Coordinates of all heavy atoms in Angstrom, one line a residue:
A97 N 5.6 -3.1 -2.4 CA 5.6 -2.1 -3.6 C 5.8 -2.9 -4.9 O 5.1 -2.6 -5.9 CB 6.7 -1.0 -3.4
F98 N 6.7 -3.9 -4.9 CA 7.0 -4.6 -6.1 C 5.8 -5.5 -6.4 O 5.5 -5.7 -7.6 CB 8.3 -5.5 -6.0 CG 8.5 -6.2 -7.3 CD1 9.1 -5.6 -8.4 CD2 8.3 -7.6 -7.4 CE1 9.3 -6.2 -9.6 CE2 8.5 -8.2 -8.6 CZ 9.0 -7.6 -9.7
F99 N 5.1 -6.1 -5.4 CA 4.0 -6.9 -5.7 C 2.9 -6.1 -6.4 O 2.3 -6.6 -7.4 CB 3.4 -7.5 -4.4 CG 2.2 -8.4 -4.6 CD1 2.3 -9.7 -5.0 CD2 0.9 -7.8 -4.4 CE1 1.1 -10.4 -5.2 CE2 -0.2 -8.6 -4.6 CZ -0.1 -9.9 -5.0
I100 N 2.6 -4.9 -5.9 CA 1.6 -4.0 -6.5 C 2.0 -3.7 -7.9 O 1.2 -3.7 -8.8 CB 1.4 -2.8 -5.6 CG1 0.8 -3.1 -4.3 CG2 0.5 -1.8 -6.4 CD1 -0.5 -3.7 -4.3
A101 N 3.3 -3.3 -8.1 CA 3.8 -3.0 -9.4 C 3.6 -4.1 -10.4 O 3.2 -4.0 -11.5 CB 5.2 -2.5 -9.4
A102 N 4.1 -5.3 -10.0 CA 4.1 -6.5 -10.9 C 2.7 -6.9 -11.2 O 2.4 -7.3 -12.4 CB 4.8 -7.7 -10.2
T103 N 1.8 -6.9 -10.3 CA 0.4 -7.3 -10.5 C -0.4 -6.3 -11.3 O -1.4 -6.7 -12.0 CB -0.3 -7.7 -9.2 OG1 -0.3 -6.6 -8.3 CG2 0.3 -9.0 -8.6
T104 N -0.1 -5.0 -11.1 CA -0.8 -4.0 -11.8 C -0.3 -3.8 -13.2 O -1.0 -3.7 -14.2 CB -0.7 -2.6 -11.1 OG1 -1.2 -2.8 -9.7 CG2 -1.6 -1.6 -11.7
Y105 N 1.1 -3.7 -13.4 CA 1.7 -3.2 -14.6 C 2.4 -4.3 -15.3 O 2.8 -4.2 -16.5 CB 2.6 -2.1 -14.4 CG 1.9 -0.9 -13.7 CD1 2.1 -0.6 -12.4 CD2 1.1 -0.1 -14.5 CE1 1.4 0.5 -11.8 CE2 0.4 1.0 -13.9 CZ 0.6 1.3 -12.6 OH -0.1 2.3 -12.0
G106 N 2.8 -5.4 -14.7 CA 3.5 -6.5 -15.3 C 2.7 -7.2 -16.3 O 1.5 -7.1 -16.5
S107 N 3.4 -8.1 -17.1 CA 2.8 -9.0 -18.0 C 1.9 -10.0 -17.3 O 2.1 -10.1 -16.0 CB 3.8 -9.7 -18.9 OG 4.6 -10.6 -18.0
V108 N 1.0 -10.7 -17.9 CA 0.2 -11.7 -17.3 C 1.1 -12.7 -16.6 O 0.8 -13.1 -15.4 CB -0.7 -12.4 -18.3 CG1 -1.4 -13.6 -17.6 CG2 -1.7 -11.4 -18.8
S109 N 2.2 -13.2 -17.2 CA 3.0 -14.2 -16.6 C 3.7 -13.6 -15.4 O 3.9 -14.3 -14.4 CB 4.0 -14.7 -17.6 OG 4.9 -13.7 -18.1
M110 N 4.2 -12.3 -15.4 CA 4.9 -11.7 -14.3 C 3.9 -11.7 -13.1 O 4.2 -12.0 -12.0 CB 5.4 -10.3 -14.6 CG 6.1 -9.7 -13.4 SD 6.4 -7.9 -13.7 CE 7.9 -8.0 -14.7
A111 N 2.7 -11.2 -13.4 CA 1.7 -11.1 -12.3 C 1.3 -12.5 -11.7 O 1.3 -12.6 -10.5 CB 0.4 -10.4 -12.9
E112 N 1.1 -13.4 -12.6 CA 0.7 -14.8 -12.1 C 1.8 -15.4 -11.3 O 1.6 -16.1 -10.3 CB 0.3 -15.6 -13.3 CG -1.0 -15.2 -14.0 CD -2.3 -15.4 -13.3 OE1 -2.2 -15.8 -12.1 OE2 -3.3 -15.1 -13.8
N113 N 3.0 -15.2 -11.7 CA 4.2 -15.8 -11.1 C 4.3 -15.3 -9.6 O 4.6 -16.0 -8.7 CB 5.5 -15.6 -11.9 CG 5.6 -16.5 -13.1 OD1 4.9 -17.5 -13.2 ND2 6.4 -16.1 -14.0
I114 N 4.2 -13.9 -9.5 CA 4.4 -13.4 -8.2 C 3.2 -13.7 -7.3 O 3.3 -13.9 -6.1 CB 4.6 -11.8 -8.2 CG1 5.2 -11.4 -6.9 CG2 3.4 -11.1 -8.5 CD1 5.8 -10.0 -6.9
I115 N 2.0 -13.8 -7.8 CA 0.8 -14.2 -7.0 C 1.0 -15.7 -6.6 O 0.8 -16.0 -5.4 CB -0.5 -14.1 -7.9 CG1 -0.8 -12.6 -8.1 CG2 -1.6 -14.8 -7.2 CD1 -1.9 -12.4 -9.1
A116 N 1.5 -16.5 -7.4 CA 1.8 -17.9 -7.1 C 2.8 -18.0 -6.0 O 2.7 -18.8 -5.0 CB 2.2 -18.7 -8.3
K117 N 3.9 -17.2 -6.1 CA 4.9 -17.1 -5.1 C 4.4 -16.7 -3.7 O 4.7 -17.3 -2.7 CB 6.0 -16.2 -5.5 CG 7.2 -16.1 -4.5 CD 8.2 -15.1 -5.1 CE 9.4 -15.0 -4.1 NZ 10.5 -14.1 -4.6
V118 N 3.5 -15.7 -3.7 CA 2.9 -15.2 -2.4 C 2.0 -16.3 -1.8 O 2.0 -16.6 -0.6 CB 2.2 -13.9 -2.7 CG1 1.3 -13.6 -1.4 CG2 3.1 -12.8 -2.9
N119 N 1.2 -16.9 -2.7 CA 0.3 -18.0 -2.2 C 1.1 -19.2 -1.6 O 0.7 -19.7 -0.6 CB -0.6 -18.5 -3.3 CG -1.7 -17.5 -3.6 OD1 -2.1 -16.8 -2.8 ND2 -2.2 -17.6 -4.9
L120 N 2.3 -19.5 -2.2 CA 3.1 -20.6 -1.7 C 3.7 -20.2 -0.3 O 3.7 -21.0 0.6 CB 4.2 -20.8 -2.7 CG 5.1 -22.1 -2.4 CD1 4.3 -23.3 -2.4 CD2 6.3 -22.2 -3.4
I121 N 4.1 -18.9 -0.2 CA 4.6 -18.4 1.1 C 3.5 -18.5 2.2 O 3.7 -18.9 3.3 CB 5.2 -17.0 1.0 CG1 6.4 -17.0 0.1 CG2 5.5 -16.4 2.3 CD1 6.9 -15.7 -0.3
H122 N 2.3 -18.1 1.8 CA 1.2 -18.0 2.7 C 0.8 -19.4 3.3 O 0.4 -19.5 4.4 CB -0.1 -17.4 2.0 CG 0.0 -15.9 2.0 ND1 -1.0 -15.2 1.3 CD2 0.9 -15.0 2.4 CE1 -0.7 -13.9 1.4 NE2 0.4 -13.8 2.1
Q123 N 1.0 -20.4 2.5 CA 0.7 -21.8 2.9 C 1.6 -22.2 4.1 O 1.2 -23.1 4.9 CB 0.9 -22.8 1.8 CG -0.1 -22.7 0.7 CD 0.2 -23.6 -0.5 OE1 1.0 -24.5 -0.4 NE2 -0.4 -23.3 -1.7
K124 N 2.7 -21.6 4.3 CA 3.6 -21.9 5.4 C 3.5 -21.0 6.6 O 4.1 -21.2 7.6 CB 5.1 -21.9 4.9 CG 5.3 -22.8 3.7 CD 6.7 -22.5 3.1 CE 6.9 -23.3 1.8 NZ 8.3 -23.0 1.2

Side-chain angles (χ1 to χ4, degrees):
F98 182 75
F99 178 83
I100 295 296
T103 53
T104 306
Y105 301 105
S107 65
V108 171
S109 62
M110 179 190 284
E112 296 287 4
N113 286 341
I114 197 168
I115 290 168
K117 182 179 179 180
V118 168
N119 283 335
L120 189 61
I121 292 171
H122 281 177
Q123 290 175 16
K124 304 171 185 176

